[in-house]
Amino acid sequence: AKTTISVIKADIGSLAGHHVVHPDTMAAAAKVLAEAKSKGIIVDYYITHVGDDLELIMTHRKGVDAPEVHEVAWNAFKEAAKVAKELGLYAAGQDLLTDAFSGNVRGLGPSAAEMEFVERPAEPVIVFMADKTEPGAFNLPLFRVFGDPFNTAGLVIDPKLHDGFKFEVYDVIGGKYVIMNLPEEMYDLLALIGTPGRFVVRRVYRKSDNEIAAVVSVERLNLIAGQYVGKDDPVAIVRAQSGFPAVGEVIEAFAFPHLVAGWMRGSHFGPLMPVSQRNARCTRFDGPPRVVALGFQIKNARLIGPADLFDDPAYDETRRLAQTIAEYMRRHGPFMPHRLGPEEMEYTTLPAVLQKLQNRFVEAKLYEVKGPKVKTELLHE
Ligand code: 13P
Ligand code: 13P
Ligand code: MG
Ligand code: MG
Ligand code: MG
């Protein structure tokens, strides 16, 4: 029998702004999942949070996109949001954009990453969960894990990894995807995923046998809602060891706190700081963006663990560097490139401010302005 792991998350409201999930809302969600477990819809679950995002980690036998499992997640979020409203939590029900559930949470506000596989005798899996950033935040680390031998020694020395991996890249605006083979198409892949707001690494497969290696939630909340309603705060699942990168190779990619979009009002670049579960809450300028990594073994669809992988002094220097970068970026105040560029700001409340200035401008054509010479459909639409 195949096993499925589904990580489905939503922001259903937070204690003190967008800082952290309230324990009572987690308890409400836990009740729904416990009932689903006793009914046999899911085999096991683990509930946690990163910042203001409630994270449901579930294992079952029903495959990806199973309506029953998505309904369990949806009901858990609904119950949690009910408690959030009772407690008057901030932005209660934030990511639940509709009341009409119809078999899948996709497009309704929550995000999901799911994969199905035949369990190996020992099946180590790492669940990454981030707050105050977007799905493309995983582009750089996943490239390094599955494509860069300076990160992953196994790509060079392990015959089972040596053929490389396939990356499925999803165009969140065009609604299409492309599969690229590494190492041979590395430069083309980078040409796409270097634009993480649009081209998101959605899945990674082992090239030799198409075995699923990683999956990322790709829901872009602002694109779904048509306006800024919070950041998409993504999740990812990565399999490790025995034919996949080692656990240490997977989490090594997070030792560099790269700049990601999100942070305050979802409108700023800041460093992605790997933190322990204990520090999975957002403070300074509603951040900085944070990521938690929980390691599990999956056995007969049961979740063994978790291990809190960034809860370790080995990541202290990464966090220190992240603080330094946070300080440096913050000093730019409202200026780009701390603040995001105009395309992303479209979805925020900035256009309303700019609108007021429209008729203050005085016509003054000092020179002829020509358009760019190269127009590619992928980059300009
Ligand atoms: P151990 O000898 O500690 O099992 O290490 C094995 C290994 O390959 C670590 O990367
Ligand atoms: P969340 O998506 O985490 O709710 O962030 C919203 C925000 O605007 C933080 O400043
Ligand atoms: Mg929030
Ligand atoms: Mg959040
Ligand atoms: Mg959010």
Side-chain angles (χ1 to χ4, degrees), residues 102-267:
S102 55
N104 197 296
V105 297
R106 190 160 306 120
L108 307 185
S111 296
E114 302 180 274
M115 59 162 71
E116 184 185 38
F117 47 76
V118 175
E119 284 178 22
R120 296 166 290 166
E123 184 65 58
V125 162
I126 306 171
V127 177
F128 291 97
M129 297 158 286
D131 189 29
K132 303 299 181 271
T133 187
E134 62 184 20
F138 287 119
N139 282 7
L140 187 152
L142 287 180
F143 166 73
R144 299 207 64 215
V145 171
F146 294 102
D148 181 1
F150 279 75
N151 180 87
T152 300
L155 292 169
V156 175
I157 66 181
D158 182 346
K160 288 192 257 151
L161 273 61
H162 198 85
D163 278 350
F165 289 86
K166 298 202 297 202
F167 285 67
E168 179 187 310
V169 178
Y170 184 64
D171 174 352
V172 296
I173 291 170
K176 48 194 171 190
Y177 69 91
V178 59
I179 293 182
M180 315 215 86
N181 292 310
L182 257 61
E184 45 300 13
E185 295 182 294
M186 178 192 292
Y187 299 162
D188 289 326
L189 175 76
L190 290 170
L192 291 176
I193 67 172
T195 306
R198 173 150 188 192
F199 300 104
V200 180
V201 176
R202 182 173 184 224
R203 292 196 184 96
V204 181
Y205 300 95
R206 187 163 57 201
K207 207 175 5 164
S208 57
D209 58 1
N210 274 326
E211 192 63 26
I212 185 81
V215 58
V216 179
S217 64
V218 294
E219 286 75 37
R220 291 290 327 264
L221 203 54
N222 302 341
L223 299 179
I224 292 166
Q227 60 178 27
Y228 181 73
V229 290
K231 214 57 183 172
D232 341 83
D233 309 324
V235 292
I237 309 169
V238 181
R239 296 170 80 191
Q241 307 289 155
S242 317
F244 296 111
V247 167
E249 289 170 332
V250 176
I251 61 174
E252 170 67 7
F254 293 84
F256 169 57
H258 67 298
L259 291 172
V260 298
W263 209 350
M264 173 58 69
R265 298 171 185 273
S267 305

Side-chain angles (χ1 to χ4, degrees), residues 21-71:
V21 168
H22 191 285
D24 291 1
T25 63
M26 284 174 60
K31 232 173 117 183
V32 175
L33 265 55
E35 197 184 309
K37 183 176 172 176
S38 71
K39 282 186 185 157
I41 300 169
I42 57 177
V43 176
D44 208 355
Y45 66 88
Y46 186 81
I47 295 184
T48 188
H49 74 88
V50 175
D52 60 2
D53 289 279
L54 176 57
E55 320 272 356
L56 313 178
I57 302 170
M58 299 173 286
T59 45
H60 54 93
R61 304 288 192 186
K62 303 196 183 297
V64 306
D65 285 330
E68 274 179 286
V69 174
H70 279 240
E71 191 173 12

